[in-house]
Amino acid sequence: MISREVPVNIFGKLLIVVSLLTLLSLHVEATHLRAGQITVERVACPGLTVKITVTVYTDTGCGGTCILFGGHEDILRFGDGFSVLVPMTPNTPVQGATNVGTASFSITHTFPGPGRYTISYREPMRNNEVVNITSPGNNTFYLETEIDLSVGCSNSPVLLVPPIDEACSGVTFLHNPGASDRDGDSLSYELVVPLRDKNTPTLNYRDPNVPEFYAGLNYD
């Protein structure tokens, strides 16, 4: 099903926004979303057709097969006024990880002309046990990436390291997503407030370094 939306003007530079939720757990009907990425690959350059892939990682206690990615509320927007519902897809268990599944959806789309487009994916709802967001179950899981089709033949960066790490209490948690760019563009990381929709921050987000999260821990 493809729908028409009100067109919007897009400004900014190429970026990829990744949602890495380290304090996660439960969403029964849709997914136990813990992370995701959107990648954009030019089908033919300098044409306007691209291949868009949404990949998600989920927490699951059933090997991944009982958790579905996509559904009737799960929308992939192309940023040019058109969108598509992502069909329900079972997860595949991630080898070497406990209770982690992954799923993806790919589609080819032709844009109406050169320009910058923000491609986004939104799915309700986040895991209910995220502690640094108010009412996480009422916040949609949101990803976006931007691509400029007005210059060159750019493709989006790809994150090569799966977000399957598990943090331990009292020990520094580090995760490098291993971003790689096939065009050789320079890449950098930036911490941002997670969104629940376009230009809409999650409710009452608090940085992971807030002291209340470390009460009772000794770091001498």
Side-chain angles (χ1 to χ4, degrees):
M1 178 184 297
I2 297 179
S3 60
R4 178 68 175 168
E5 302 165 359
V6 178
V8 293
N9 292 322
I10 304 301
F11 300 95
K13 61 182 181 179
L14 176 67
L15 73 152
I16 185 167
V17 178
V18 182
S19 180
L20 296 176
L21 308 178
T22 59
L23 302 171
L24 305 177
S25 187
L26 190 60
H27 175 33
V28 177
E29 287 190 40
T31 60
H32 305 230
L33 292 164
R34 62 182 287 156
Q37 65 170 308
I38 300 173
T39 57
V40 184
E41 180 182 357
R42 300 287 285 273
V43 172
C45 203
L48 298 174
T49 300
V50 301
K51 178 182 178 182
I52 302 168
T53 300
V54 182
T55 302
V56 298
Y57 291 87
T58 65
D59 286 333
T60 173
C62 59
T65 57
C66 70
I67 303 300
L68 297 178
F69 160 56
H72 67 282
E73 297 181 87
D74 308 332
I75 305 171
L76 173 62
R77 292 187 171 94
F78 302 118
D80 59 357
F82 288 91
S83 65
V84 63
L85 291 179
V86 174
M88 289 188 291
T89 306
N91 279 239
T92 300
V94 177
Q95 291 187 354
T98 301
N99 295 334
V100 179
T102 185
S104 65
F105 169 75
S106 296
I107 190 171
T108 299
H109 180 71
T110 300
F111 288 91
R116 292 179 175 178
Y117 299 93
T118 297
I119 302 166
S120 63
Y121 176 69
R122 186 190 67 195
E123 176 176 341
M125 42 191 176
R126 291 174 184 265
N127 299 267
N128 287 325
E129 294 183 8
V130 178
V131 298
N132 60 331
I133 297 174
T134 298
S135 300
N138 294 322
N139 284 265
T140 50
F141 180 84
Y142 178 82
L143 303 169
E144 70 176 29
T145 190
E146 185 175 283
I147 189 166
D148 190 345
L149 299 179
S150 60
V151 294
C153 295
S154 292
N155 301 274
S156 68
V158 178
L159 305 181
L160 301 179
V161 180
I164 60 176
D165 321 59
E166 293 186 2
C168 297
S169 178
V171 179
T172 301
F173 174 72
L174 302 173
H175 175 78
N176 185 339
S180 177
D181 189 273
R182 62 183 288 183
D183 306 313
D185 294 336
S186 176
L187 302 176
S188 62
Y189 299 107
E190 178 184 4
L191 291 175
V192 299
V193 176
L195 303 178
R196 54 191 172 99
D197 208 337
K198 184 173 177 61
N199 299 324
T200 308
T202 54
L203 299 173
N204 192 28
Y205 169 78
R206 289 163 293 164
D207 287 331
N209 62 354
V210 173
E212 68 181 89
F213 297 136
Y214 305 92
L217 297 180
N218 187 350
Y219 290 97
D220 293 340

